[in-house]
Amino acid sequence: MKLMTLIRKECIEDIFSSRGAALYLVGCGVLSVFSLLLVSNTELSLLDNAQAVYMMAGIIMSLALLISVIRGSDGFAGERDRETLELLLITPVSAVDIGIAKLMGTFVSWLIIFLLSIPYLWAVGSTGQNLWPAFIYIFIAGSFLVLIFGGFMLGLSARMKTFKEVLSIGLTLFLLSASPVILGPSLRQSGIGRLIDHVNPFGSALNMIDSVVVDSQNISFQLPHLATLTICTIFALCFLYATTRRVEL
Amino acid sequence: MTVYPSDIYGFLGPNGSGKTTTLRILCGILLPDRGEVSVLGQNPASQRGLLRQRINILPESHGFYGWMLAGEYLRFFGRLYGLNLTDTDCRMHLQQVGLDSADRRPIRTFSRGMKQRVGIARALLNDPEILFLDEPTNGLDPKGRRDIHDLLLSLNREKGMTIIISTHILDDVERLCNRIAILHDKKIQYEGTLLEEPAEKARTKSGLESTYIACTEKGKQQ
Amino acid sequence: MKKSFFPDLIFITAIILLFPAHCPAAGNGSVHVNLQRPAGTLTMGDTPVFSGTVTNMGTKTSQGLVVYLSLVSLKTGKEHPVDLEDWSAQKAVRINRLAPGETNRQEWSMRLIQAGRFGIALTVVDPLENRPIISDLVHFDVQQKATVSSARILPVAAGEPLLLIVIFALFQWRRIRSRRE
C-alpha cells in the first residue's frame, strides 16, 4: 500500500506539474516536427517506411533517455532542493521503496511517451514492413533504457546534493551514450567504436531496432543486444539499491 | 541529554549550534559520528522502520508538494503511516490546527503561517509518542502562536505526548517547556527544569534569559 | 519523341571507369559469374531476391573469392553509383574454395527503397587474378509508391499535440471543479 501510494504520487505529480506536461508536449512536438519533415522533404518522403520507422525510433529512444536523465536526477536531489525529502525520510517507508517508486514513476512517464508515439509510428510505417515488431522492440528497448538510465541517475541523485549537479552528470552521460550514434557508421566500425557499441546500452537498443525493423532479422540476432541491455539493467538496479539503502539529507 | 516520558523539552541554542542536526540524528535521518542515541529504547539508526511509526517531526524548513490539496497532502502522508484517512478525518486534522475548510485548497496558495499549520497537522497524523518540533512557531502571527501553544499543551496533558522543541524563542520555551537543554558549540552547556509555581514562573523568563546568555557567552569565551 | 543516346553513352563510359577491369560475363576464362533478376514488376518496398552463380570453369581450385553486388542508378542525366547501406544487409560474400566445375549459388536479397531505373552487377574478385570478373549488368525498374502519406501524417502531427493540450486542460479543470464542490 505504501509503495503504491508513493508510485501514485509520482505519477500524479508528473501529470499535474507543469514540468510533466511540458515534457510530454515537447516529446509530441519533436515527433510532429519529424513527421512533417517526412512529408515536406522530397528525399525523406521517398524513404522506405521501415527506414522512417527506424529514424523515428531513434527519436523515441532519445526521449526515453532524456526522461530518465531528467526524472532520475530530480528523484532525490530535486526533493532535497525543494526540502520535501526530509518529510519522506521520516515516514516508516524505506529509502529503497522511495527509489523504486521514483523509478516506477519514470517508467510510467516512458509508457506515456510510448503511447503518444504509437500514432506517429503508425502514420509513417503502416504501409511498410515490420510495424508490429517495431512497436514491440521499441517498447522493450525503451523500457530497458529507462530502467538503466533512470536507475543509475536515481542512485546518483540519492548520493549527490543538488539537482543541478546530478543533471550535469546526466546530460554528459546522455551525450556520451549517444556519441557513437552521432559519430556515424565509419567510426563505429573501428575497434573502439565496436566495443563502445557493444557495451553502450543506447547503441545496443538502436542496433536491435535497426536489425528488427530494417534488416528483418529474427530474435536470435537480437540476443547479444538483449544481453547487453539486461546486464546493464542489473548493474543499474544494484547501484540504485546500494545507494538508496542509506539516504541522508 | 535525557528526556522523560510526557516531558515538553526545550532545546535551545543560537543558530548553528547543532539543534537541527541533533533532532535529525534522533529521528534517524542522519547518522551520528560518535556517541549513543536511544529513542523509545531503540536505536534510530538501526531500527528506523519501527521507530518512525512511533515518532514524528516538524522540520524547520520543510517544503510542500504545492500541487497537492491540503486534504490530499494529509491523506498521502497518512497512507505512508498505514492510515486510510477519509475526507472527514482530514478536515478534523486541519481543524485541530485552526485550518477550517481548507482541505480542498492547493497548498501553494497558502500563506507561510498556514503552511506551518498544515505541517503540524501532518506531524500529528500518526499520533506520535514523541513529537519533534524544529522552530514550530516560525511564521505564525501572535494568535497563531497562542493556538499552537494551546494545542501542544493539550496534546501533552490529554495524551501524555512527549514533545521536544528546538527553538531560540524563549517565550515559547517559557510557555511550554518543563525541562530544557541549552546547546552551544555542539555541546550541551546546561540541562535542567523550569519551575512551575506562578511566583517562580514570573522570574523564570529573566532567569532563563540570563542562563541562556551565560551559556552562550561561556561558549564564546572558550 | 526520339530519345537521345548521349546520356547512355556517358553512363557506359562511367561504368567502364567504375569497373576499370570490366570483362564480359564469361570472365577471364576460369571463373564465370551470372546474376538473374526476379520476374515481375518491382515496386518500392518490395524485397526481391536476385540469384547469383559463380562457376569455376578452370582446371584449378579457386580460393578466397570475394563476391559483391554493385548497384547503379540509371536515371537519365543523373546516373550514379548507389550506396547499398540501406538496400541490402548482405553486401559481400567470401567463397573459401571453389573446385573446378563447381558452382556456388547465392541469393541476394534487396530492399527497394527508391523508385527509378537501376542496374545491378555481381563482381567476383579472385586474389590470384589481376582483374575482377563481373556479370552482365541486370536492368530493373522500381515503380514509385508513396511510402509516407501526408493523409496519415498531417492529422497525427497536428492533432496529437492539440489533443494533449485539451487532455491536460480537462485534467486541470476537473481538479479545479472538485475543489469548488
Side-chain angles (χ1 to χ4, degrees), chain C residues 16-33:
Chain C
I16 292 167
L17 289 173
L18 265 172
F19 308 114
H22 174 73
C23 289
N28 61 5
S30 63
V31 174
H32 181 96
V33 56

Side-chain angles (χ1 to χ4, degrees), chain B residues 48-65:
Chain B
R48 278 172 293 167
L50 289 170
L51 188 61
R52 283 173 193 180
Q53 198 70 48
R54 299 170 66 190
I55 62 170
N56 214 324
I57 184 172
L58 176 75
E60 181 188 5
S61 51
H62 52 115
F64 287 90
Y65 301 112

Side-chain angles (χ1 to χ4, degrees), chain B:
Chain B
M1 163 182 164
T2 310
V3 182
Y4 300 106
S6 301
D7 267 357
I8 300 188
Y9 193 90
F11 200 43
L12 290 109
N15 294 334
S17 57
K19 301 191 296 290
T20 301
T21 305
T22 309
L23 289 196
R24 283 173 176 172
I25 290 171
L26 291 172
C27 293
I29 303 169
L30 288 180
L31 284 177
D33 293 333
R34 56 177 189 267
E36 278 182 26
V37 183
S38 169
V39 177
L40 294 170
Q42 290 174 330
N43 184 340
S46 58
Q47 291 160 304
R48 278 172 293 167
L50 289 170
L51 188 61
R52 283 173 193 180
Q53 198 70 48
R54 299 170 66 190
I55 62 170
N56 214 324
I57 184 172
L58 176 75
E60 181 188 5
S61 51
H62 52 115
F64 287 90
Y65 301 112
W67 53 272
M68 280 189 187
L69 312 178
E72 201 174 8
Y73 181 77
L74 295 186
R75 209 171 297 125
F76 166 67
F77 277 100
R79 285 207 184 106
L80 297 186
Y81 284 98
L83 307 167
N84 213 348
L85 298 179
T86 60
D87 285 352
T88 319
D89 295 331
C90 293
R91 271 196 289 275
M92 196 191 73
H93 278 287
L94 289 168
Q95 274 167 6
Q96 194 180 18
V97 291
L99 287 175
D100 299 341
S101 63
D103 61 320
R104 285 189 174 273
R105 277 181 61 186
I107 299 176
R108 65 165 172 267
T109 63
F110 284 9
S111 69
R112 194 174 166 195
M114 288 171 84
K115 282 180 180 169
Q116 190 73 350
R117 288 166 192 253
V118 177
I120 293 171
R122 181 202 52 74
L124 294 172
L125 276 178
N126 60 327
D127 208 3
E129 289 172 49
I130 302 181
L131 179 63
F132 297 93
L133 302 168
D134 199 354
E135 309 288 358
T137 53
N138 256 0
L140 294 180
D141 56 32
K143 187 182 176 301
R145 280 180 64 198
R146 175 64 61 91
D147 290 347
I148 295 302
H149 287 172
D150 291 345
L151 172 68
L152 295 177
L153 285 169
S154 74
L155 286 169
N156 177 255
R157 279 187 203 129
E158 288 162 22
K159 296 186 177 178
M161 189 183 285
T162 308
I163 300 170
I164 299 176
I165 303 173
S166 156
T167 183
H168 47 230
I169 302 173
L170 297 184
D171 188 48
D172 284 357
V173 178
E174 196 227 355
R175 270 188 56 84
L176 296 172
C177 303
N178 61 326
R179 296 183 69 239
I180 61 160
I182 299 175
L183 193 71
H184 183 70
D185 212 15
K186 297 175 177 63
K187 280 182 185 160
I188 291 177
Q189 306 289 346
Y190 173 83
E191 188 175 16
T193 54
L194 281 182
L195 298 172
E196 289 295 326
E197 292 78 11
E200 289 295 329
K201 205 163 185 174
R203 296 200 302 273
T204 308
K205 190 173 182 183
S206 61
L208 177 60
E209 225 168 55
S210 23
T211 312
Y212 180 83
I213 289 168
C215 287
T216 52
E217 286 297 314
K218 188 171 76 180
K220 271 181 193 167
Q221 282 158 14
Q222 283 169 356

Side-chain angles (χ1 to χ4, degrees), chain A residues 15-16 21 24-25 28 32 35-36 39 45-49 116 119-120 122-124 126-127 129 214, chain C residues 44-45 86 89 111 113 144-145 147-150 152-154 156-157 160-161 164-165 168 171-172 175:
Chain A
I15 293 166
F16 288 113
Y24 299 132
L25 276 174
C28 248
S32 287
S35 315
L36 291 173
V39 282
S45 69
L46 289 175
L47 268 182
D48 175 45
N49 290 99
L116 290 174
Y120 291 97
W122 168 80
V124 299
S126 61
T127 52
Q129 56 175 2
V214 179
Chain C
M44 275 178 75
D86 300 324
R111 202 158 45 78
I113 64 169
Q144 183 149 352
K145 188 174 84 177
T147 52
V148 184
S149 157
S150 57
R152 284 194 310 270
I153 285 188
L154 287 177
V156 173
E160 194 165 310
L164 201 60
I165 291 170
F168 280 126
F171 263 120
Q172 291 296 340
R175 210 168 149 77

Side-chain angles (χ1 to χ4, degrees), chain A residues 1-2 5-6 8-9 12-13 79 82-84 86-93 245-246 248-249, chain B residues 24 28-29 31 45 48 52-53 56-57 59 61-65 67 73 76 79-81 122:
Chain A
M1 175 187 165
K2 290 173 186 174
T5 303
L6 284 169
R8 192 171 166 270
K9 173 242 166 194
I12 294 176
E13 187 170 26
E79 295 249 16
R82 293 187 292 273
E83 297 179 325
T84 47
E86 190 169 1
L87 301 178
L88 288 179
L89 292 180
I90 55 171
T91 60
V93 182
R245 278 186 70 197
R246 181 82 223 180
E248 289 191 355
L249 283 172
Chain B
R24 283 173 176 172
I29 303 169
L31 284 177
R48 278 172 293 167
R52 283 173 193 180
Q53 198 70 48
N56 214 324
I57 184 172
S61 51
H62 52 115
F64 287 90
Y65 301 112
W67 53 272
Y73 181 77
F76 166 67
R79 285 207 184 106
L80 297 186
Y81 284 98
R122 181 202 52 74

Side-chain angles (χ1 to χ4, degrees), chain C residues 24-138:
Chain C
N28 61 5
S30 63
V31 174
H32 181 96
V33 56
N34 182 268
L35 185 68
Q36 295 283 325
R37 59 153 288 175
T41 314
L42 299 173
T43 311
M44 275 178 75
D46 288 353
T47 51
V49 177
F50 290 78
S51 177
T53 53
V54 180
T55 310
N56 187 351
M57 309 288 277
T59 51
K60 290 180 183 173
T61 299
S62 297
Q63 290 188 323
L65 298 175
V66 178
V67 189
Y68 60 90
L69 276 181
S70 302
L71 180 70
V72 285
S73 167
L74 302 176
K75 190 177 179 184
T76 312
K78 287 187 176 175
E79 294 82 359
H80 64 274
V82 177
D83 181 1
L84 278 170
E85 169 69 21
D86 300 324
W87 290 71
S88 174
Q90 184 188 10
K91 295 174 186 74
V93 168
R94 187 174 183 278
I95 302 171
N96 289 332
R97 198 170 173 280
L98 199 63
E102 190 184 352
T103 296
N104 178 286
R105 184 177 295 278
Q106 296 284 339
E107 301 288 310
W108 300 84
S109 175
M110 297 282 285
R111 202 158 45 78
L112 308 178
I113 64 169
Q114 210 177 327
R117 188 151 188 259
F118 296 89
I120 191 165
L122 198 59
T123 307
V124 180
V125 174
D126 185 337
L128 298 177
E129 297 288 339
N130 291 327
R131 293 178 168 184
I133 306 107
I134 304 171
S135 70
D136 285 338
L137 190 69
V138 176

